[in-house]
Amino acid sequence: FTHAPMHLAFLLAAAIAAVAPPAAAIASQTTKFAVLGATGNLGRRTVREFLDRGIPVRCLVRPSSADKIPAEFRASPLFEAVSGDLLADRSRGSDGIYRDDAVAPSAALLECLGGCGGVVACYGAVRRTRLADLFRDPEDTDPTHAKQINCRSMIALVAACRAVNAGGGDVKIAHVVRITGKGEDPTGFFSVLLNGLGAYCKAWNYQGEEILRSALGDDEAIGYTIVRPGILTQDGAEDGPFPFATDDLVLADDGGNDLPVNKVGYSQIACLLADVLLSAGDGRIDRAAGNHRVTLAAMNPPEGGGSGTLLGEKIAALRNDRRDFPASLVAEHKAAVRAFFSKVAAVASIAALVLGGLVSRALF
């Protein structure tokens, strides 16, 4: 019996370990995270995911979108909002032109990221193609153009993360999560349609991905996860039945180009974004695991349900990007749009001539 006290101490320690979360998990629950694009359909759900889990969130909100912040967020002690834009004013030269080498993060973005352990960027350009764009290219002059929102903002975000980490605070930005979309098929129907109507939003989304991959590919301190979802669909309780749960999501790394595109729910993807960032905080995503530099596609399975694997396990099983992604696909995206709409114009012209001939015969 001389070893009884030691034996009891061992049992007590084991019991405590069984009920207490690991230290890394505790850190992930108390670390604040930043959400950029918090007032959109996906952003609101992502913020709610964090708040529902008791995770403090700080959001960057454009002044024009301040009234879109839900009252429940404002009432939460876990929620903060910083008002401002992504790019500093000096990113746009005195001649009104944006240039990559002049892009800088705004003071509001730096404030938003300060003291946060990671950031989710779930915003996207909403500018539509205008008739005037045919006569004057706005991609380097319009602050709302996809080149600024989807692409150059990534330059600012990387610079802001590094500046915050160099500032000497105890909490560092360790992971960036960016929502984009499949964009490596310039001639695909959805690519052509969205590029043609949305000021080349798909093209500049892909280019923004490349900025993250190239800038953070060798970064020792900051990892990234780029998420390419399917067709985002309303899936809240108020929207009616949705046939898939969050754990049904199928994740494919290395870009996921072979994964067929289908509908995914906003709530599903919001949960995925939050889980990825929390996984980076609790060690399930890290350098040693080889899953801290990932470009993934997220879709739902064919009719019949998922594999039964939990989403967190699927995230942990992802592997770093292994192939060489094209450095740029902007020219290919633009060429595909021009070719498509040239054909549409030709068909429309022929139809107009035929219709004109029929009308002439009918009248004369």
Side-chain angles (χ1 to χ4, degrees):
F1 295 97
T2 55
H3 297 291
M6 183 180 297
H7 181 65
L8 290 173
F10 175 79
L11 291 177
L12 180 60
I16 293 173
V19 298
I26 294 174
S28 72
Q29 291 173 18
T30 57
T31 299
K32 184 178 298 180
F33 293 113
V35 177
L36 312 179
T39 59
N41 283 325
L42 181 59
R44 288 196 304 273
R45 288 169 170 81
T46 303
V47 171
R48 188 172 288 113
E49 277 291 331
F50 284 119
L51 297 181
D52 287 348
R53 303 182 196 197
I55 310 295
V57 178
R58 184 185 294 137
C59 302
L60 180 66
V61 180
R62 290 176 300 158
S64 60
S65 298
D67 60 342
K68 297 179 182 177
I69 300 175
E72 64 183 283
F73 292 178
R74 294 187 181 278
S76 172
L78 299 174
F79 177 82
E80 294 179 57
V82 177
S83 179
D85 295 311
L86 293 161
L87 304 185
D89 290 342
R90 67 178 184 276
S91 301
R92 190 180 192 182
S94 57
D95 56 359
I97 296 176
Y98 290 91
R99 296 178 177 84
D100 290 355
D101 58 3
V103 169
S106 67
L109 178 56
L110 292 168
E111 179 185 350
C112 181
L113 298 184
C116 293
V119 54
V120 180
C122 49
Y123 58 85
V126 297
R127 184 190 187 277
R128 298 291 177 260
T129 301
R130 303 165 187 167
L131 183 61
D133 295 351
L134 297 174
F135 308 101
R136 184 175 181 180
D137 190 346
E139 68 179 27
D140 289 318
T141 57
D142 189 338
T144 67
H145 194 277
K147 190 172 185 179
Q148 275 61 258
I149 304 300
N150 293 354
C151 178
R152 284 182 167 135
S153 69
M154 292 296 102
I155 300 175
L157 180 56
V158 170
C161 290
R162 288 176 172 163
V164 167
N165 286 357
D170 293 334
V171 180
K172 309 289 187 182
I173 297 287
H175 208 78
V176 175
V177 182
R178 173 60 173 152
I179 188 85
T180 58
K182 281 195 169 186
E184 290 188 70
D185 180 16
T187 60
F189 174 76
F190 286 109
S191 291
V192 172
L193 184 65
L194 292 174
N195 279 325
L197 301 178
Y200 295 106
C201 57
K202 295 280 282 185
W204 292 115
N205 239 346
Y206 177 80
Q207 213 57 35
E209 287 186 5
E210 268 301 284
I211 289 171
L212 283 183
R213 279 190 289 265
S214 61
L216 300 180
D218 296 322
D219 196 295
E220 295 295 323
I222 308 171
Y224 69 81
T225 301
I226 297 167
V227 178
R228 298 171 167 180
I231 303 167
L232 287 164
T233 306
Q234 302 290 348
D235 63 341
E238 68 280 6
D239 301 311
F242 190 76
F244 298 105
T246 300
D247 286 332
D248 289 332
L249 282 173
V250 178
L251 308 182
D253 55 26
D254 222 19
N257 285 342
D258 295 332
L259 201 59
V261 175
N262 55 30
K263 291 182 179 181
V264 294
Y266 277 106
S267 297
Q268 285 184 297
I269 300 302
C271 184
L272 171 62
L273 298 180
D275 276 5
V276 167
L277 204 50
L278 291 172
S279 295
D282 66 22
R284 286 175 292 168
I285 291 178
D286 66 11
R287 186 179 305 278
N291 57 4
H292 67 301
R293 294 171 182 160
V294 173
T295 302
L296 69 91
M299 306 293 166
N300 276 313
E303 211 55 48
S307 63
T309 306
L310 297 177
L311 182 61
E313 296 174 5
K314 296 175 184 178
I315 292 170
L318 295 167
R319 289 296 168 259
N320 286 341
D321 293 331
R322 300 174 294 283
R323 65 184 174 89
D324 292 327
F325 288 77
S328 177
L329 289 172
V330 174
E332 290 85 346
H333 278 282
K334 290 184 175 181
V337 170
R338 286 194 296 267
F340 176 79
F341 283 98
S342 293
K343 291 178 181 178
V344 170
V347 170
S349 297
I350 293 172
L353 290 173
V354 171
L355 181 61
L358 293 174
V359 171
S360 297
R361 288 181 183 180
L363 294 176
F364 303 104

